[in-house]
Amino acid sequence: EPEVTQTPSHQVTQMGQEVILRCVPISNHLYFYWYRQILGQKVEFLVSFYNNEISEKSEIFDDQFSVERPDGSNFTLKIRSTKLEDSAMYFCASKGSGQPQHFGDGTRLSIL
Amino acid sequence: DAKTTQPNSMESNEEEPVHLPCNHSTISGTDYIHWYRQLPSQGPEYVIHGLTSNVNNRMASLAIAEDRKSSTLILHRATLRDAAVYYCILRAFQGAQKLVFGQGTRLTINP
């Protein structure tokens, strides 16, 4: 069964550094998402992406965040200047038209 | 976003059926009822969805009340692998609609 793949599984970064989280969505899916989950808290929506542009973003997704689909297969989340509070699990998801969202197993981001 | 209410936790025994309830009294006519679950150290996983009629798939069954103000996810024969947090989420099925996760129900399965 096709799946969403995220790399790396764990990223450790110094505060203030830029980080890029990578995702390979399921082939032929049209909608792409990033969510995050701070340890012990709810899964929170960050951003959705469709037709090469952001469809919706949450208050969390400020100017420090950006997303890109640089080619036909990857979907990336960039955090320009990381803060301690950015430490969380970041989940990528994708879906086809009229289908449920499929999630990857996440990247654990640790900011030191 | 329409709100759902779920018990914080439930416990069951292996090989027994499990009924996970969800209340959604403010559901709108176009909201689908989605269930996802999150196994330990994994991303959320789609389980099942429905609009008005009861639904079955290989993972579970979804029973929807006639007035749609509540629903029940049924695991017919729980295994240890079904221990997870289960989320009931209302969302339109088309378009780029985000999922809004609540706290969910933490299901514990006893051997």
Side-chain angles (χ1 to χ4, degrees), chain A residues 1 31 33 35 37 40-45 48-50 55-56 89 91 95 97-106 108, chain B residues 1 34 36 38 41-49 58 87 91-104 106:
Chain A
E1 187 171 326
Y31 302 90
Y33 308 80
Y35 294 81
Q37 185 173 32
Q41 297 187 23
K42 296 185 291 187
V43 177
E44 301 174 287
F45 167 77
S48 59
F49 191 86
Y50 170 71
S55 309
E56 185 177 358
M89 284 290 291
F91 296 108
K95 84 177 196 75
S97 179
Q99 295 180 10
Q101 291 185 28
H102 294 261
F103 287 76
D105 280 338
R108 180 174 300 283
Chain B
D1 298 324
H34 302 244
Y36 282 76
Q38 188 173 21
S41 302
Q42 294 189 24
E45 175 188 28
Y46 167 77
V47 178
I48 200 167
H49 76 276
R58 64 177 177 81
Y87 301 99
R91 186 46 56 201
F93 211 59
Q94 296 299 327
Q97 297 283 337
K98 65 181 184 282
L99 295 172
V100 178
F101 290 83
Q103 296 290 358
R106 182 173 298 278

Side-chain angles (χ1 to χ4, degrees), chain B residues 4-7 10 17-24 27 33-36 47-57 59-76 86-90 105:
Chain B
T4 62
T5 304
Q6 300 178 251
M10 290 185 65
V18 180
H19 290 233
L20 295 162
C22 180
N23 288 316
H24 30 78
I27 189 170
I33 302 159
H34 302 244
W35 283 83
Y36 282 76
V47 178
I48 200 167
H49 76 276
L51 183 62
T52 56
S53 303
N54 295 343
V55 185
N56 301 296
N57 67 19
M59 291 181 71
S61 295
L62 176 59
I64 301 172
E66 199 168 325
D67 64 4
R68 300 212 324 129
K69 293 185 176 181
S70 65
S71 61
T72 302
L73 179 71
I74 303 166
L75 307 178
H76 294 284
Y86 286 78
Y87 301 99
C88 170
I89 301 171
L90 304 182
T105 296

Side-chain angles (χ1 to χ4, degrees), chain A residues 27-89:
Chain A
S27 177
N28 297 324
H29 278 190
L30 303 173
Y31 302 90
F32 312 105
Y33 308 80
W34 284 101
Y35 294 81
R36 79 171 187 190
Q37 185 173 32
I38 295 171
L39 187 63
Q41 297 187 23
K42 296 185 291 187
V43 177
E44 301 174 287
F45 167 77
L46 292 178
V47 66
S48 59
F49 191 86
Y50 170 71
N51 202 22
N52 286 319
E53 61 182 26
I54 290 174
S55 309
E56 185 177 358
K57 58 184 181 180
S58 71
E59 289 180 357
I60 303 167
F61 194 88
D62 62 21
D63 292 344
Q64 294 300 311
F65 290 85
S66 63
V67 288
E68 196 177 34
R69 189 155 160 80
D71 52 41
S73 59
N74 292 287
F75 181 51
T76 62
L77 175 70
K78 182 194 292 186
I79 309 175
R80 286 189 188 78
S81 178
T82 50
K83 302 189 273 281
L84 293 176
E85 54 264 39
D86 293 328
S87 295
M89 284 290 291

